[in-house]
PDB file of all heavy atoms in Angstrom:
ATOM      1  N   GLY Y  27     127.518 -87.993 -15.809  1.00 97.00           N
ATOM      2  CA  GLY Y  27     128.610 -88.093 -14.855  1.00 97.00           C
ATOM      3  C   GLY Y  27     128.573 -86.983 -13.811  1.00 97.00           C
ATOM      4  O   GLY Y  27     127.607 -86.836 -13.061  1.00 97.00           O
ATOM      5  N   LEU Y  28     129.598 -86.159 -13.774  1.00 97.00           N
ATOM      6  CA  LEU Y  28     129.709 -85.087 -12.785  1.00 97.00           C
ATOM      7  C   LEU Y  28     128.637 -84.014 -12.961  1.00 97.00           C
ATOM      8  O   LEU Y  28     128.402 -83.216 -12.050  1.00 97.00           O
ATOM      9  CB  LEU Y  28     131.101 -84.436 -12.875  1.00 97.00           C
ATOM     10  CG  LEU Y  28     132.290 -85.357 -12.562  1.00 97.00           C
ATOM     11  CD1 LEU Y  28     133.601 -84.610 -12.812  1.00 97.00           C
ATOM     12  CD2 LEU Y  28     132.227 -85.861 -11.130  1.00 97.00           C
ATOM     13  N   ASN Y  29     127.984 -83.986 -14.107  1.00 98.00           N
ATOM     14  CA  ASN Y  29     126.960 -82.962 -14.381  1.00 98.00           C
ATOM     15  C   ASN Y  29     125.548 -83.434 -14.052  1.00 98.00           C
ATOM     16  O   ASN Y  29     124.575 -82.724 -14.339  1.00 98.00           O
ATOM     17  CB  ASN Y  29     127.019 -82.548 -15.855  1.00 98.00           C
ATOM     18  CG  ASN Y  29     128.350 -81.906 -16.215  1.00 98.00           C
ATOM     19  OD1 ASN Y  29     128.867 -81.074 -15.462  1.00 98.00           O
ATOM     20  ND2 ASN Y  29     128.917 -82.289 -17.341  1.00 98.00           N
ATOM     21  N   LEU Y  30     125.412 -84.614 -13.449  1.00 98.00           N
ATOM     22  CA  LEU Y  30     124.086 -85.174 -13.175  1.00 98.00           C
ATOM     23  C   LEU Y  30     123.236 -84.243 -12.319  1.00 98.00           C
ATOM     24  O   LEU Y  30     122.024 -84.112 -12.525  1.00 98.00           O
ATOM     25  CB  LEU Y  30     124.232 -86.537 -12.489  1.00 98.00           C
ATOM     26  CG  LEU Y  30     122.925 -87.248 -12.129  1.00 98.00           C
ATOM     27  CD1 LEU Y  30     122.131 -87.585 -13.394  1.00 98.00           C
ATOM     28  CD2 LEU Y  30     123.213 -88.509 -11.317  1.00 98.00           C
ATOM     29  N   GLY Y  31     123.864 -83.585 -11.349  1.00 96.00           N
ATOM     30  CA  GLY Y  31     123.114 -82.700 -10.453  1.00 96.00           C
ATOM     31  C   GLY Y  31     122.416 -81.556 -11.158  1.00 96.00           C
ATOM     32  O   GLY Y  31     121.435 -81.008 -10.639  1.00 96.00           O
ATOM     33  N   GLU Y  32     122.887 -81.193 -12.352  1.00 97.00           N
ATOM     34  CA  GLU Y  32     122.277 -80.095 -13.110  1.00 97.00           C
ATOM     35  C   GLU Y  32     120.951 -80.495 -13.741  1.00 97.00           C
ATOM     36  O   GLU Y  32     120.173 -79.639 -14.183  1.00 97.00           O
ATOM     37  CB  GLU Y  32     123.235 -79.628 -14.209  1.00 97.00           C
ATOM     38  CG  GLU Y  32     124.541 -79.036 -13.698  1.00 97.00           C
ATOM     39  CD  GLU Y  32     124.297 -77.719 -12.974  1.00 97.00           C
ATOM     40  OE1 GLU Y  32     123.525 -76.901 -13.491  1.00 97.00           O
ATOM     41  OE2 GLU Y  32     124.868 -77.544 -11.889  1.00 97.00           O
ATOM     42  N   LEU Y  33     120.682 -81.810 -13.771  1.00 97.00           N
ATOM     43  CA  LEU Y  33     119.487 -82.293 -14.476  1.00 97.00           C
ATOM     44  C   LEU Y  33     118.200 -81.773 -13.852  1.00 97.00           C
ATOM     45  O   LEU Y  33     117.224 -81.519 -14.564  1.00 97.00           O
ATOM     46  CB  LEU Y  33     119.494 -83.827 -14.478  1.00 97.00           C
ATOM     47  CG  LEU Y  33     118.516 -84.537 -15.418  1.00 97.00           C
ATOM     48  CD1 LEU Y  33     118.721 -84.084 -16.858  1.00 97.00           C
ATOM     49  CD2 LEU Y  33     118.686 -86.044 -15.311  1.00 97.00           C
ATOM     50  N   GLU Y  34     118.184 -81.585 -12.532  1.00 96.00           N
ATOM     51  CA  GLU Y  34     116.971 -81.112 -11.870  1.00 96.00           C
ATOM     52  C   GLU Y  34     116.545 -79.741 -12.389  1.00 96.00           C
ATOM     53  O   GLU Y  34     115.355 -79.459 -12.523  1.00 96.00           O
ATOM     54  CB  GLU Y  34     117.185 -81.046 -10.357  1.00 96.00           C
ATOM     55  CG  GLU Y  34     115.928 -80.621  -9.595  1.00 96.00           C
ATOM     56  CD  GLU Y  34     116.173 -80.464  -8.112  1.00 96.00           C
ATOM     57  OE1 GLU Y  34     117.353 -80.439  -7.700  1.00 96.00           O
ATOM     58  OE2 GLU Y  34     115.190 -80.355  -7.357  1.00 96.00           O
ATOM     59  N   ARG Y  35     117.500 -78.878 -12.693  1.00 96.00           N
ATOM     60  CA  ARG Y  35     117.176 -77.533 -13.180  1.00 96.00           C
ATOM     61  C   ARG Y  35     116.520 -77.574 -14.548  1.00 96.00           C
ATOM     62  O   ARG Y  35     115.862 -76.618 -14.954  1.00 96.00           O
ATOM     63  CB  ARG Y  35     118.446 -76.690 -13.239  1.00 96.00           C
ATOM     64  CG  ARG Y  35     119.070 -76.392 -11.880  1.00 96.00           C
ATOM     65  CD  ARG Y  35     120.442 -75.749 -12.028  1.00 96.00           C
ATOM     66  NE  ARG Y  35     120.428 -74.646 -12.982  1.00 96.00           N
ATOM     67  CZ  ARG Y  35     121.512 -74.095 -13.502  1.00 96.00           C
ATOM     68  NH1 ARG Y  35     122.715 -74.570 -13.183  1.00 96.00           N
ATOM     69  NH2 ARG Y  35     121.415 -73.096 -14.351  1.00 96.00           N
ATOM     70  N   TRP Y  36     116.689 -78.671 -15.270  1.00 97.00           N
ATOM     71  CA  TRP Y  36     116.149 -78.791 -16.624  1.00 97.00           C
ATOM     72  C   TRP Y  36     114.888 -79.644 -16.682  1.00 97.00           C
ATOM     73  O   TRP Y  36     114.342 -79.865 -17.768  1.00 97.00           O
ATOM     74  CB  TRP Y  36     117.204 -79.423 -17.543  1.00 97.00           C
ATOM     75  CG  TRP Y  36     118.362 -78.534 -17.849  1.00 97.00           C
ATOM     76  CD1 TRP Y  36     119.367 -78.146 -17.000  1.00 97.00           C
ATOM     77  CD2 TRP Y  36     118.666 -77.925 -19.109  1.00 97.00           C
ATOM     78  NE1 TRP Y  36     120.276 -77.346 -17.642  1.00 97.00           N
ATOM     79  CE2 TRP Y  36     119.867 -77.189 -18.949  1.00 97.00           C
ATOM     80  CE3 TRP Y  36     118.056 -77.937 -20.367  1.00 97.00           C
ATOM     81  CZ2 TRP Y  36     120.456 -76.477 -19.984  1.00 97.00           C
ATOM     82  CZ3 TRP Y  36     118.632 -77.225 -21.394  1.00 97.00           C
ATOM     83  CH2 TRP Y  36     119.817 -76.491 -21.197  1.00 97.00           C
ATOM     84  N   GLN Y  37     114.404 -80.134 -15.551  1.00 96.00           N
ATOM     85  CA  GLN Y  37     113.351 -81.145 -15.588  1.00 96.00           C
ATOM     86  C   GLN Y  37     112.007 -80.631 -16.105  1.00 96.00           C
ATOM     87  O   GLN Y  37     111.144 -81.431 -16.475  1.00 96.00           O
ATOM     88  CB  GLN Y  37     113.177 -81.791 -14.223  1.00 96.00           C
ATOM     89  CG  GLN Y  37     112.638 -80.905 -13.134  1.00 96.00           C
ATOM     90  CD  GLN Y  37     112.386 -81.694 -11.857  1.00 96.00           C
ATOM     91  OE1 GLN Y  37     111.997 -82.863 -11.898  1.00 96.00           O
ATOM     92  NE2 GLN Y  37     112.616 -81.069 -10.714  1.00 96.00           N
ATOM     93  N   ASN Y  38     111.825 -79.334 -16.145  1.00 96.00           N
ATOM     94  CA  ASN Y  38     110.575 -78.784 -16.694  1.00 96.00           C
ATOM     95  C   ASN Y  38     110.749 -78.235 -18.098  1.00 96.00           C
ATOM     96  O   ASN Y  38     109.879 -77.537 -18.613  1.00 96.00           O
ATOM     97  CB  ASN Y  38     110.042 -77.684 -15.771  1.00 96.00           C
ATOM     98  CG  ASN Y  38     109.623 -78.233 -14.416  1.00 96.00           C
ATOM     99  OD1 ASN Y  38     108.999 -79.291 -14.342  1.00 96.00           O
ATOM    100  ND2 ASN Y  38     109.973 -77.527 -13.340  1.00 96.00           N
ATOM    101  N   THR Y  39     111.886 -78.555 -18.698  1.00 96.00           N
ATOM    102  CA  THR Y  39     112.195 -78.066 -20.044  1.00 96.00           C
ATOM    103  C   THR Y  39     112.139 -79.228 -21.026  1.00 96.00           C
ATOM    104  O   THR Y  39     112.703 -80.294 -20.779  1.00 96.00           O
ATOM    105  CB  THR Y  39     113.609 -77.435 -20.080  1.00 96.00           C
ATOM    106  OG1 THR Y  39     113.687 -76.403 -19.096  1.00 96.00           O
ATOM    107  CG2 THR Y  39     113.899 -76.856 -21.454  1.00 96.00           C
ATOM    108  N   SER Y  40     111.438 -79.032 -22.140  1.00 96.00           N
ATOM    109  CA  SER Y  40     111.388 -80.059 -23.187  1.00 96.00           C
ATOM    110  C   SER Y  40     112.742 -80.104 -23.894  1.00 96.00           C
ATOM    111  O   SER Y  40     113.382 -79.058 -24.076  1.00 96.00           O
ATOM    112  CB  SER Y  40     110.283 -79.716 -24.190  1.00 96.00           C
ATOM    113  OG  SER Y  40     110.178 -80.707 -25.175  1.00 96.00           O
ATOM    114  N   PRO Y  41     113.253 -81.297 -24.253  1.00 97.00           N
ATOM    115  CA  PRO Y  41     112.619 -82.621 -24.162  1.00 97.00           C
ATOM    116  C   PRO Y  41     112.948 -83.386 -22.886  1.00 97.00           C
ATOM    117  O   PRO Y  41     112.534 -84.540 -22.749  1.00 97.00           O
ATOM    118  CB  PRO Y  41     113.217 -83.325 -25.373  1.00 97.00           C
ATOM    119  CG  PRO Y  41     114.612 -82.805 -25.427  1.00 97.00           C
ATOM    120  CD  PRO Y  41     114.525 -81.351 -25.021  1.00 97.00           C
ATOM    121  N   ILE Y  42     113.680 -82.768 -21.949  1.00 97.00           N
ATOM    122  CA  ILE Y  42     114.006 -83.453 -20.699  1.00 97.00           C
ATOM    123  C   ILE Y  42     112.724 -83.828 -19.959  1.00 97.00           C
ATOM    124  O   ILE Y  42     112.583 -84.939 -19.429  1.00 97.00           O
ATOM    125  CB  ILE Y  42     114.898 -82.568 -19.798  1.00 97.00           C
ATOM    126  CG1 ILE Y  42     116.180 -82.152 -20.533  1.00 97.00           C
ATOM    127  CG2 ILE Y  42     115.235 -83.300 -18.513  1.00 97.00           C
ATOM    128  CD1 ILE Y  42     117.073 -83.293 -20.946  1.00 97.00           C
ATOM    129  N   ARG Y  43     111.750 -82.915 -19.930  1.00 97.00           N
ATOM    130  CA  ARG Y  43     110.474 -83.186 -19.270  1.00 97.00           C
ATOM    131  C   ARG Y  43     109.790 -84.402 -19.892  1.00 97.00           C
ATOM    132  O   ARG Y  43     109.264 -85.273 -19.189  1.00 97.00           O
ATOM    133  CB  ARG Y  43     109.559 -81.962 -19.377  1.00 97.00           C
ATOM    134  CG  ARG Y  43     108.181 -82.156 -18.737  1.00 97.00           C
ATOM    135  CD  ARG Y  43     107.259 -80.991 -19.016  1.00 97.00           C
ATOM    136  NE  ARG Y  43     106.977 -80.865 -20.447  1.00 97.00           N
ATOM    137  CZ  ARG Y  43     107.368 -79.836 -21.197  1.00 97.00           C
ATOM    138  NH1 ARG Y  43     108.037 -78.849 -20.661  1.00 97.00           N
ATOM    139  NH2 ARG Y  43     107.077 -79.793 -22.478  1.00 97.00           N
ATOM    140  N   ASP Y  44     109.805 -84.483 -21.226  1.00 97.00           N
ATOM    141  CA  ASP Y  44     109.160 -85.597 -21.915  1.00 97.00           C
ATOM    142  C   ASP Y  44     109.860 -86.910 -21.592  1.00 97.00           C
ATOM    143  O   ASP Y  44     109.214 -87.952 -21.457  1.00 97.00           O
ATOM    144  CB  ASP Y  44     109.174 -85.354 -23.429  1.00 97.00           C
ATOM    145  CG  ASP Y  44     108.519 -84.034 -23.796  1.00 97.00           C
ATOM    146  OD1 ASP Y  44     107.560 -83.642 -23.104  1.00 97.00           O
ATOM    147  OD2 ASP Y  44     108.953 -83.384 -24.764  1.00 97.00           O
ATOM    148  N   TRP Y  45     111.185 -86.861 -21.474  1.00 98.00           N
ATOM    149  CA  TRP Y  45     111.942 -88.064 -21.123  1.00 98.00           C
ATOM    150  C   TRP Y  45     111.592 -88.530 -19.717  1.00 98.00           C
ATOM    151  O   TRP Y  45     111.365 -89.723 -19.481  1.00 98.00           O
ATOM    152  CB  TRP Y  45     113.442 -87.784 -21.240  1.00 98.00           C
ATOM    153  CG  TRP Y  45     114.289 -88.915 -20.769  1.00 98.00           C
ATOM    154  CD1 TRP Y  45     114.591 -90.060 -21.446  1.00 98.00           C
ATOM    155  CD2 TRP Y  45     114.923 -89.039 -19.481  1.00 98.00           C
ATOM    156  NE1 TRP Y  45     115.376 -90.891 -20.673  1.00 98.00           N
ATOM    157  CE2 TRP Y  45     115.592 -90.289 -19.470  1.00 98.00           C
ATOM    158  CE3 TRP Y  45     114.991 -88.213 -18.367  1.00 98.00           C
ATOM    159  CZ2 TRP Y  45     116.325 -90.721 -18.368  1.00 98.00           C
ATOM    160  CZ3 TRP Y  45     115.714 -88.647 -17.258  1.00 98.00           C
ATOM    161  CH2 TRP Y  45     116.369 -89.878 -17.268  1.00 98.00           C
ATOM    162  N   ILE Y  46     111.498 -87.591 -18.782  1.00 98.00           N
ATOM    163  CA  ILE Y  46     111.172 -87.923 -17.398  1.00 98.00           C
ATOM    164  C   ILE Y  46     109.813 -88.606 -17.308  1.00 98.00           C
ATOM    165  O   ILE Y  46     109.629 -89.589 -16.572  1.00 98.00           O
ATOM    166  CB  ILE Y  46     111.193 -86.654 -16.525  1.00 98.00           C
ATOM    167  CG1 ILE Y  46     112.638 -86.169 -16.337  1.00 98.00           C
ATOM    168  CG2 ILE Y  46     110.532 -86.895 -15.167  1.00 98.00           C
ATOM    169  CD1 ILE Y  46     112.760 -84.840 -15.616  1.00 98.00           C
ATOM    170  N   GLN Y  47     108.855 -88.122 -18.069  1.00 97.00           N
ATOM    171  CA  GLN Y  47     107.486 -88.619 -17.975  1.00 97.00           C
ATOM    172  C   GLN Y  47     107.326 -90.071 -18.413  1.00 97.00           C
ATOM    173  O   GLN Y  47     106.342 -90.718 -18.049  1.00 97.00           O
ATOM    174  CB  GLN Y  47     106.549 -87.721 -18.783  1.00 97.00           C
ATOM    175  CG  GLN Y  47     106.365 -86.340 -18.169  1.00 97.00           C
ATOM    176  CD  GLN Y  47     105.548 -85.402 -19.043  1.00 97.00           C
ATOM    177  OE1 GLN Y  47     105.320 -85.671 -20.229  1.00 97.00           O
ATOM    178  NE2 GLN Y  47     105.112 -84.294 -18.470  1.00 97.00           N
ATOM    179  N   VAL Y  48     108.270 -90.604 -19.185  1.00 97.00           N
ATOM    180  CA  VAL Y  48     108.164 -91.999 -19.624  1.00 97.00           C
ATOM    181  C   VAL Y  48     109.070 -92.928 -18.816  1.00 97.00           C
ATOM    182  O   VAL Y  48     109.163 -94.111 -19.114  1.00 97.00           O
ATOM    183  CB  VAL Y  48     108.475 -92.133 -21.132  1.00 97.00           C
ATOM    184  CG1 VAL Y  48     107.495 -91.333 -21.962  1.00 97.00           C
ATOM    185  CG2 VAL Y  48     109.911 -91.707 -21.445  1.00 97.00           C
ATOM    186  N   GLN Y  49     109.729 -92.377 -17.781  1.00 97.00           N
ATOM    187  CA  GLN Y  49     110.581 -93.199 -16.914  1.00 97.00           C
ATOM    188  C   GLN Y  49     109.816 -93.599 -15.653  1.00 97.00           C
ATOM    189  O   GLN Y  49     108.904 -92.903 -15.212  1.00 97.00           O
ATOM    190  CB  GLN Y  49     111.852 -92.436 -16.517  1.00 97.00           C
ATOM    191  CG  GLN Y  49     112.633 -91.850 -17.680  1.00 97.00           C
ATOM    192  CD  GLN Y  49     112.994 -92.868 -18.740  1.00 97.00           C
ATOM    193  OE1 GLN Y  49     113.414 -93.982 -18.422  1.00 97.00           O
ATOM    194  NE2 GLN Y  49     112.843 -92.476 -19.999  1.00 97.00           N
ATOM    195  N   LYS Y  50     110.190 -94.718 -15.063  1.00 97.00           N
ATOM    196  CA  LYS Y  50     109.613 -95.109 -13.788  1.00 97.00           C
ATOM    197  C   LYS Y  50     110.148 -94.178 -12.694  1.00 97.00           C
ATOM    198  O   LYS Y  50     111.347 -93.931 -12.616  1.00 97.00           O
ATOM    199  CB  LYS Y  50     109.986 -96.553 -13.460  1.00 97.00           C
ATOM    200  CG  LYS Y  50     109.344 -97.583 -14.375  1.00 97.00           C
ATOM    201  CD  LYS Y  50     109.744 -98.989 -13.962  1.00 97.00           C
ATOM    202  CE  LYS Y  50     109.098-100.020 -14.866  1.00 97.00           C
ATOM    203  NZ  LYS Y  50     109.497-101.407 -14.509  1.00 97.00           N
ATOM    204  N   GLN Y  51     109.243 -93.688 -11.859  1.00 97.00           N
ATOM    205  CA  GLN Y  51     109.654 -92.771 -10.807  1.00 97.00           C
ATOM    206  C   GLN Y  51     110.656 -93.432  -9.861  1.00 97.00           C
ATOM    207  O   GLN Y  51     111.583 -92.772  -9.367  1.00 97.00           O
ATOM    208  CB  GLN Y  51     108.432 -92.280 -10.019  1.00 97.00           C
ATOM    209  CG  GLN Y  51     108.753 -91.230  -8.965  1.00 97.00           C
ATOM    210  CD  GLN Y  51     109.382 -89.977  -9.554  1.00 97.00           C
ATOM    211  OE1 GLN Y  51     108.900 -89.436 -10.534  1.00 97.00           O
ATOM    212  NE2 GLN Y  51     110.473 -89.514  -8.958  1.00 97.00           N
ATOM    213  N   SER Y  52     110.498 -94.727  -9.638  1.00 97.00           N
ATOM    214  CA  SER Y  52     111.420 -95.431  -8.745  1.00 97.00           C
ATOM    215  C   SER Y  52     112.848 -95.403  -9.290  1.00 97.00           C
ATOM    216  O   SER Y  52     113.814 -95.301  -8.525  1.00 97.00           O
ATOM    217  CB  SER Y  52     110.964 -96.884  -8.550  1.00 97.00           C
ATOM    218  OG  SER Y  52     110.910 -97.576  -9.797  1.00 97.00           O
ATOM    219  N   GLU Y  53     112.996 -95.473 -10.621  1.00 97.00           N
ATOM    220  CA  GLU Y  53     114.329 -95.424 -11.228  1.00 97.00           C
ATOM    221  C   GLU Y  53     114.888 -94.003 -11.204  1.00 97.00           C
ATOM    222  O   GLU Y  53     116.096 -93.807 -11.042  1.00 97.00           O
ATOM    223  CB  GLU Y  53     114.279 -95.959 -12.656  1.00 97.00           C
ATOM    224  CG  GLU Y  53     113.931 -97.443 -12.731  1.00 97.00           C
ATOM    225  CD  GLU Y  53     113.932 -97.969 -14.156  1.00 97.00           C
ATOM    226  OE1 GLU Y  53     114.283 -97.203 -15.084  1.00 97.00           O
ATOM    227  OE2 GLU Y  53     113.588 -99.145 -14.346  1.00 97.00           O
ATOM    228  N   LEU Y  54     114.010 -93.017 -11.342  1.00 98.00           N
ATOM    229  CA  LEU Y  54     114.450 -91.622 -11.241  1.00 98.00           C
ATOM    230  C   LEU Y  54     114.907 -91.304  -9.819  1.00 98.00           C
ATOM    231  O   LEU Y  54     115.870 -90.561  -9.621  1.00 98.00           O
ATOM    232  CB  LEU Y  54     113.317 -90.680 -11.648  1.00 98.00           C
ATOM    233  CG  LEU Y  54     112.863 -90.738 -13.117  1.00 98.00           C
ATOM    234  CD1 LEU Y  54     111.631 -89.858 -13.323  1.00 98.00           C
ATOM    235  CD2 LEU Y  54     113.974 -90.310 -14.055  1.00 98.00           C
ATOM    236  N   ASP Y  55     114.214 -91.879  -8.839  1.00 97.00           N
ATOM    237  CA  ASP Y  55     114.583 -91.644  -7.441  1.00 97.00           C
ATOM    238  C   ASP Y  55     115.988 -92.156  -7.147  1.00 97.00           C
ATOM    239  O   ASP Y  55     116.691 -91.607  -6.285  1.00 97.00           O
ATOM    240  CB  ASP Y  55     113.578 -92.325  -6.508  1.00 97.00           C
ATOM    241  CG  ASP Y  55     112.199 -91.661  -6.549  1.00 97.00           C
ATOM    242  OD1 ASP Y  55     112.120 -90.498  -6.992  1.00 97.00           O
ATOM    243  OD2 ASP Y  55     111.217 -92.314  -6.151  1.00 97.00           O
ATOM    244  N   GLU Y  56     116.384 -93.207  -7.851  1.00 97.00           N
ATOM    245  CA  GLU Y  56     117.707 -93.788  -7.625  1.00 97.00           C
ATOM    246  C   GLU Y  56     118.838 -92.852  -8.067  1.00 97.00           C
ATOM    247  O   GLU Y  56     119.991 -93.051  -7.692  1.00 97.00           O
ATOM    248  CB  GLU Y  56     117.823 -95.129  -8.349  1.00 97.00           C
ATOM    249  CG  GLU Y  56     116.921 -96.217  -7.760  1.00 97.00           C
ATOM    250  CD  GLU Y  56     116.968 -97.500  -8.561  1.00 97.00           C
ATOM    251  OE1 GLU Y  56     117.742 -97.561  -9.542  1.00 97.00           O
ATOM    252  OE2 GLU Y  56     116.226 -98.445  -8.211  1.00 97.00           O
ATOM    253  N   LEU Y  57     118.500 -91.834  -8.861  1.00 97.00           N
ATOM    254  CA  LEU Y  57     119.512 -90.860  -9.275  1.00 97.00           C
ATOM    255  C   LEU Y  57     119.814 -89.858  -8.171  1.00 97.00           C
ATOM    256  O   LEU Y  57     120.860 -89.194  -8.204  1.00 97.00           O
ATOM    257  CB  LEU Y  57     119.037 -90.117 -10.535  1.00 97.00           C
ATOM    258  CG  LEU Y  57     118.742 -90.972 -11.766  1.00 97.00           C
ATOM    259  CD1 LEU Y  57     118.327 -90.081 -12.941  1.00 97.00           C
ATOM    260  CD2 LEU Y  57     119.937 -91.830 -12.157  1.00 97.00           C
ATOM    261  N   HIS Y  58     118.867 -89.701  -7.233  1.00 97.00           N
ATOM    262  CA  HIS Y  58     119.058 -88.821  -6.063  1.00 97.00           C
ATOM    263  C   HIS Y  58     119.337 -87.366  -6.455  1.00 97.00           C
ATOM    264  O   HIS Y  58     120.190 -86.706  -5.858  1.00 97.00           O
ATOM    265  CB  HIS Y  58     120.193 -89.339  -5.172  1.00 97.00           C
ATOM    266  CG  HIS Y  58     120.011 -90.754  -4.711  1.00 97.00           C
ATOM    267  ND1 HIS Y  58     119.012 -91.137  -3.829  1.00 97.00           N
ATOM    268  CD2 HIS Y  58     120.690 -91.892  -5.036  1.00 97.00           C
ATOM    269  CE1 HIS Y  58     119.085 -92.440  -3.619  1.00 97.00           C
ATOM    270  NE2 HIS Y  58     120.096 -92.927  -4.339  1.00 97.00           N
ATOM    271  N   VAL Y  59     118.609 -86.901  -7.472  1.00 97.00           N
ATOM    272  CA  VAL Y  59     118.782 -85.495  -7.862  1.00 97.00           C
ATOM    273  C   VAL Y  59     117.448 -84.737  -7.837  1.00 97.00           C
ATOM    274  O   VAL Y  59     117.358 -83.618  -8.325  1.00 97.00           O
ATOM    275  CB  VAL Y  59     119.437 -85.374  -9.261  1.00 97.00           C
ATOM    276  CG1 VAL Y  59     120.873 -85.834  -9.214  1.00 97.00           C
ATOM    277  CG2 VAL Y  59     118.646 -86.131 -10.326  1.00 97.00           C
TER     278      VAL Y  59
END
């Protein structure tokens, strides 16, 4: 929700990084973060 913008700061930290790597980039782009 309101904390979505914080996700970018965690994108190189496991397990967030591992989650990102199995998602379609086009769907990640739709988050606009």
Side-chain angles (χ1 to χ4, degrees):
L28 297 175
N29 297 316
L30 180 63
E32 296 293 316
L33 193 56
E34 183 184 13
R35 294 171 48 194
W36 289 71
Q37 67 175 325
N38 294 318
T39 304
S40 182
I42 303 298
R43 179 187 64 246
D44 304 326
W45 174 79
I46 289 174
Q47 291 174 346
V48 299
Q49 308 306 317
K50 292 181 180 179
Q51 185 60 48
S52 59
E53 294 182 4
L54 294 174
D55 291 341
E56 292 175 3
L57 301 182
H58 304 292
V59 291

